[in-house]
C-alpha cells in the first residue's frame, strides 16, 4: 500500500502534477490504512490470546504453572 502511494507520488512528480494537496491526500491514506492495520492486529492478538487462555482453563496440569514477573521500573528508581 505504501509502495503504491510512493509510486503515485513519483509518477505525479515526473509529470509535474504533484501538489501539496496530493501529498496530504496520499499521507492521509497511508496513515488511515496504517492505523486500521495496527488496530486490527491488536484486536486479533488479544482475541487469539484470550481464546488460548480460555482453552487452558480446566485443563489438567502435569507440572506447576509458573510466571516470571519483570518489574518495569527504571534502574534509578530501584529497579533491576
Amino acid at each position: 500500500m505504501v509502495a503504491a502511494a510512493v509510486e503515485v507520488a513519483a509518477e505525479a512528480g515526473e509529470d509535474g502534477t504533484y501538489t501539496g494537496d496530493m501529498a496530504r491526500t496520499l499521507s492521509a491514506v497511508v496513515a488511515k490504512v496504517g492505523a486500521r492495520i495496527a488496530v486490527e492486529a491488536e484486536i486479533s492478538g488479544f482475541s487469539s490470546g484470550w481464546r488460548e487462555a480460555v482453552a487452558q482453563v480446566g485443563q489438567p496440569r502435569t507440572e506447576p504453572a509458573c510466571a516470571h514477573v519483570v518489574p518495569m521500573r527504571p534502574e534509578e528508581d530501584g529497579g533491576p
Side-chain angles (χ1 to χ4, degrees):
M1 207 309 292
V2 173
V6 170
E7 188 175 338
V8 167
E11 289 175 3
E14 289 173 357
D15 294 341
T17 58
Y18 189 78
T19 64
D21 286 338
M22 179 180 280
R24 284 186 286 281
T25 301
L26 290 173
S27 296
V29 168
V30 169
K32 181 79 106 176
V33 171
R36 182 169 296 189
I37 289 169
V39 167
E40 288 181 16
E42 283 186 30
I43 291 171
S44 174
F46 173 79
S47 64
S48 66
W50 182 260
R51 284 191 302 270
E52 183 179 330
V54 169
Q56 294 298 315
V57 172
Q59 297 293 321
R61 300 267 182 229
T62 58
E63 52 188 60
C66 64
H68 182 72
V69 178
V70 178
M72 300 301 288
R73 295 178 294 176
E75 289 185 29
E76 64 270 3
D77 291 343

